[in-house]
Amino acid sequence: MASQTPENDRRARGEAALTEIAGSAGQNVIDSLRDIAPELADWILDFSYGDVFSRPGLDYCTRELATVAALTAMGNAQPQLKVHIGGALNVGCEPAAIIDVILQMAIYAGFPSALNGVAAAREVFDDRGIDPRAAGKG
């Protein structure tokens, strides 16, 4: 049995966070890297999720909204944006909040980035049967 070293703790935290946030979509990303870039898969688990996403201070919903904003602003990360929109939903973010964050990016990243972000959100919402206009209204 492996001893509990800080490296093992990072991996365990990373795997737990990835599972809670992204579920099978996150594991699919990791699995898709194992045959060609296993180091990148390890970095995602250990650093991104084991160190950064697992830090105290912000809840997963806030972290996912920040990630959706960043990926929307980048404008060239549609597959990752879709995974994180799904992750935001998985950790309890409201669809309307996700759309608002994407709309905010029109100011800072431009309308094309916001349009691409909305298209990604539409695809994720449609796949999950979510009507963002009806969500969150009583």
Side-chain angles (χ1 to χ4, degrees):
M1 179 162 180
S3 64
Q4 279 301 92
T5 65
E7 190 67 28
N8 290 343
D9 291 346
R10 289 174 87 199
R11 180 62 53 86
R13 282 192 315 270
E15 288 173 345
L18 180 69
T19 298
E20 184 172 344
I21 295 166
S24 63
Q27 190 59 52
N28 290 342
V29 171
I30 298 302
D31 292 344
S32 75
L33 296 169
R34 287 289 178 211
D35 66 335
I36 191 165
E39 297 87 353
L40 185 55
D42 291 342
W43 297 342
I44 291 169
L45 283 172
D46 297 343
F47 178 68
S48 298
Y49 287 89
D51 291 342
V52 179
F53 265 92
S54 296
R55 287 174 51 85
L58 295 176
D59 61 25
Y60 284 158
C61 183
T62 303
R63 289 184 191 282
E64 281 299 299
L65 290 175
T67 303
V68 167
L71 292 170
T72 298
M74 288 175 66
N76 61 357
Q78 293 300 98
Q80 295 82 10
L81 178 57
K82 290 175 193 173
V83 168
H84 284 281
I85 290 169
L89 293 168
N90 291 345
V91 297
C93 295
E94 292 293 329
I98 294 167
I99 294 297
D100 280 345
V101 164
I102 293 169
L103 295 178
Q104 183 77 15
M105 294 304 99
I107 300 167
Y108 299 101
F111 281 85
S113 292
L115 288 166
N116 290 339
V118 167
R122 178 188 311 275
E123 188 174 324
V124 173
F125 294 164
D126 285 351
D127 287 348
R128 293 187 180 208
I130 295 171
D131 179 354
R133 295 166 299 174
K137 295 181 180 173

